[in-house]
Amino acid sequence: MPTHADADALPADGRDETANERADRNWNEILQELRVAQTGTQIIVGFLLAVAFQPRFEEVDAYQLGLYLVLVALAGIATALGLAPVSLHRTYFARQRKEYIVRIGSRLLVADLVVVAFLAVGVTSLIFDFTAGRAAGFTAMGVGLAVVAVLWLVVPRLGSRAAVGAAPHAHRADG
């Protein structure tokens, strides 16, 4: 019986690959996803670092300063999480541990994505709070969290329901 790690390479899925080939493919996909996450993280980190050196930064109140410092901490955590799979690979790649690297790398990537999502929502909230007021900042935070929830929780469920509903008709050309 296939394990969770094998779920994307079931015998009937059209792929003919060894466990090592599957691990290599999955690792390459993780690296591509990490590149996207790291680009977003780098842009946000650059913004956060630049903000502190702007003349208007002295105008932030205690809440905004606290939020800013939390966001800087999250940016550091996101950076560390994004780099961790590379360090893991460097440590284990020559030890025939590719499946372990893929499993842990995938978990680190998910953790990174969660942190980056909170970081993006928080930065948006901080900008709205500073430029349009506290109510706008809280509204932006609520909307941002709702968007993340919809994109991460609702959309994947809709896609899996659509796939299940379409499965009986998949063989029909007019389907």
Side-chain angles (χ1 to χ4, degrees):
M1 171 167 280
T3 65
H4 176 66
D6 298 325
D8 69 333
L10 297 173
D13 77 352
R15 291 189 179 111
D16 184 24
E17 59 187 1
T18 66
N20 285 337
E21 290 169 334
R22 182 175 48 257
D24 288 341
R25 178 178 50 80
N26 286 333
W27 178 246
N28 285 330
E29 290 177 11
I30 287 170
L31 289 179
Q32 290 294 77
E33 293 165 3
L34 280 168
R35 285 183 184 105
V36 171
Q38 285 178 334
T39 300
T41 301
Q42 289 170 343
I43 291 168
I44 293 172
V45 168
F47 165 78
L48 288 171
L49 293 177
V51 164
F53 295 100
Q54 299 302 311
R56 286 194 62 198
F57 189 73
E58 294 176 8
E59 298 174 25
V60 300
D61 62 25
Y63 168 78
Q64 292 165 339
L65 179 61
L67 179 56
Y68 173 80
L69 293 174
V70 166
L71 294 172
V72 169
L74 286 175
I77 292 167
T79 300
L81 284 169
L83 295 173
V86 177
S87 174
L88 183 72
H89 182 266
R90 192 72 350 229
T91 301
Y92 289 107
F93 82 99
R95 298 181 186 175
Q96 307 301 317
R97 301 289 310 268
K98 183 62 76 95
E99 288 185 22
Y100 172 77
I101 294 168
V102 168
R103 186 174 60 254
I104 301 303
S106 179
R107 291 176 185 163
L108 289 166
L109 173 60
V110 170
D112 187 38
L113 293 173
V114 169
V115 172
V116 171
F118 281 117
L119 184 58
V121 168
V123 166
T124 303
S125 176
L126 177 64
I127 292 169
F128 271 78
D129 188 285
F130 186 77
T131 59
R134 186 70 25 96
F138 285 141
T139 300
M141 183 180 291
V143 169
L145 290 171
V147 167
V148 169
V150 167
L151 292 175
W152 287 21
L153 303 173
V154 176
V155 170
R157 285 193 173 97
L158 293 175
S160 61
R161 284 185 188 148
V164 169
H169 305 291
H171 67 281
R172 290 181 28 197
D174 63 350

